[in-house]
């Protein structure tokens, strides 16, 4: 059985004052019915992890370098994330792919770095609006999946997040049928590559404008095992409502 995961991605949002929201979330959800993860900016990771110590809420990073240490100004290694209290790291988010030119090969190498440090990698895939309009969604997602996931992926070291780029931060959400088509496809691709037992153990998250109003119906789709939530993860009340929907 795959345990559902509510993962919050704060992106480049939040200073120490925002930890009050995390404090409220922790207090309101002592024993959630799903796994809960918050990925704050790196500047808050250690504080957030301390705050979550001994609770049901985990913390994670939003990116990592491939090397454990060295002359890479501004970068953060997977080992450093672990040292700060991370258990997960988001890799290959479309904003990283767009802002920093991250390729599938680079994401694959980062996943291996995450595993080296003992982190669970949340690998993001998803098509642009133009790619969807051209009918290329499954081709694009299939190629990203094949290129970004190293051999050895399983349910303990990887989570896959399907995030259509046009749905991120826009308030536009695919139909349940569109979500279902892509999630079924990802499960089938994982089955082809890793075999049914391993493929069935890997959680598939939906991401892109998930909110308290649509979380329940999105999680009802087969092969959706949770959500990767941006904007709605910043407020304890909103993210708490999503956790409740995923716990039902
Ligand atoms: P959003 O972001 O929920 O604000 O659309 C999701 C994401 O990019 O992970």
């Amino acid at each position: 059985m795959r345990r559902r995961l509510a993962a919050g991605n704060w992106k480049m949002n939040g200073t120490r004052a925002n930890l009050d929201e995390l404090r409220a979330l922790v207090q309101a959800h002592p024993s959630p019915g799903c796994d809960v993860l918050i990925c704050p900016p790196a500047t808050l990771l250690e504080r957030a992890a301390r705050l979550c110590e001994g609770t049901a809420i985990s913390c994670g990073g939003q990116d990592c370098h491939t090397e454990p240490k060295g002359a890479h100004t501004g970068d953060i290694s997977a080992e450093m994330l672990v040292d700060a209290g991370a258990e997960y790291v988001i890799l290959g988010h479309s904003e990283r792919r767009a802002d920093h030119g991250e390729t599938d090969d680079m994401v694959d190498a980062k996943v291996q770095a995450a595993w080296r440090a003992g982190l669970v990698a949340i690998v993001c895939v998803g098509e642009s609006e133009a790619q969807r309009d051209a009918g290329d969604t499954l081709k694009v997602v299939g190629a990203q999946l094949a290129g970004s996931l190293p051999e050895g992926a399983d349910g303990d070291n990887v989570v896959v997040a399907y995030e259509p780029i046009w749905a991120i931060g826009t308030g536009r959400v695919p139909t349940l049928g569109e979500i279902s088509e892509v999630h079924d496809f990802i499960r089938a691709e994982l089955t082809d590559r890793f075999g049914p037992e391993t493929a069935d153990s890997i959680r598939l998250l939906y991401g892109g404008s998930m909110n308290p109003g649509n979380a329940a119906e999105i999680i009802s789709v087969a092969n959706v095992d949770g959500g990767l939530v941006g904007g709605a993860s910043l407020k304890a009340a909103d993210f708490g409502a999503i956790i409740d929907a995923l716990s039902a």
Side-chain angles (χ1 to χ4, degrees), residues 145-226:
L145 202 60
S148 307
L149 273 189
E151 289 307 318
D154 64 33
D156 291 329
N157 61 23
V158 146
V159 173
V160 174
Y162 168 57
E163 299 203 303
I165 295 167
W166 50 274
I168 295 175
T170 59
R172 291 171 58 204
V173 178
T175 64
L176 298 186
E178 287 168 339
I179 294 174
S180 172
E181 180 190 30
V182 179
H183 279 247
D184 288 355
F185 170 77
I186 293 173
R187 184 79 63 206
E189 293 287 290
L190 294 174
T191 303
D192 275 355
R193 179 151 171 216
F194 301 110
E197 203 172 314
T198 298
D200 280 349
S201 71
I202 298 176
R203 293 181 286 189
L204 309 184
L205 310 185
Y206 168 78
S209 297
M210 197 186 238
N211 62 45
N214 61 25
E217 60 176 17
I218 291 173
I219 197 65
S220 75
V221 175
N223 282 319
V224 175
D225 306 308

Side-chain angles (χ1 to χ4, degrees), residues 4 9 26 33 45 62 73 76 112 120 135 172 180 205 229:
R4 289 174 176 173
N9 173 12
V26 166
L45 182 55
Q62 300 176 7
T73 303
I76 297 174
Q112 296 188 53
V120 179
R172 291 171 58 204
S180 172
L205 310 185
V229 184

Side-chain angles (χ1 to χ4, degrees), residues 6-23:
N9 173 12
W10 281 13
K11 307 190 181 184
M12 197 173 73
N13 296 295
T15 56
R16 277 182 289 172
N18 296 72
L19 292 174
D20 287 345
E21 293 295 327
L22 183 54
R23 213 166 274 120

